[in-house]
Amino acid sequence: MNRCPAGRFCTWIRDTSSAGTSYSLFQFYRCQVYSLTNFLGTTNYFNNQTRRVQLLGSRHEHLRYLSVGKKFITNWNDVWYINLCG
C-alpha cells in the first residue's frame, strides 16, 4: 500500500467495481467535514496529521476518534462523515 504524505489522512477502500481485490487510496487534507460515499468494510488508515480525525454517523453523531500519527484498521460501515478538525 502507498505511503501517506505528511499532513494528510489516508485510507484504502476496496474497489467494488473490480472483480479482484483492488483498493483505491483516498487522501484528505483540508480541515473540514467530508461526506463519504460507498466507504464499506474494514480497511487500513493512516492519520498522518497533527489533529485527530472524528468519525461521524448518518446524523452527524460522534462514533469514534482516530488518533494522531496512528496506522491501524477501522470498519467504515456506520461512518457517513469524517471531520478532519476533530
Side-chain angles (χ1 to χ4, degrees):
M1 301 237 176
N2 295 342
R3 293 180 41 163
C4 186
R8 297 190 183 229
F9 172 76
C10 301
T11 189
W12 293 262
I13 300 298
R14 186 168 184 267
D15 184 356
T16 56
S17 66
S18 111
T21 307
S22 158
Y23 291 85
S24 296
L25 171 65
F26 288 85
Q27 297 183 39
F28 302 91
Y29 60 93
R30 286 198 177 102
C31 184
Q32 66 185 47
V33 174
Y34 291 88
S35 176
L36 306 179
T37 303
N38 293 325
F39 276 51
L40 299 171
T42 301
T43 62
N44 295 334
Y45 73 83
F46 183 21
N47 185 10
N48 200 12
Q49 305 184 110
T50 58
R51 298 179 183 179
R52 64 186 178 180
V53 172
Q54 182 182 27
L55 303 185
L56 304 165
S58 62
R59 294 182 308 272
H60 290 261
E61 71 276 15
H62 169 79
L63 298 175
R64 62 190 168 277
Y65 288 110
L66 305 178
S67 299
V68 173
K70 295 292 182 183
K71 293 180 185 180
F72 205 62
I73 58 171
T74 196
N75 186 316
W76 295 102
N77 289 347
D78 295 329
V79 181
W80 288 57
Y81 304 93
I82 59 172
N83 178 5
L84 259 59
C85 308

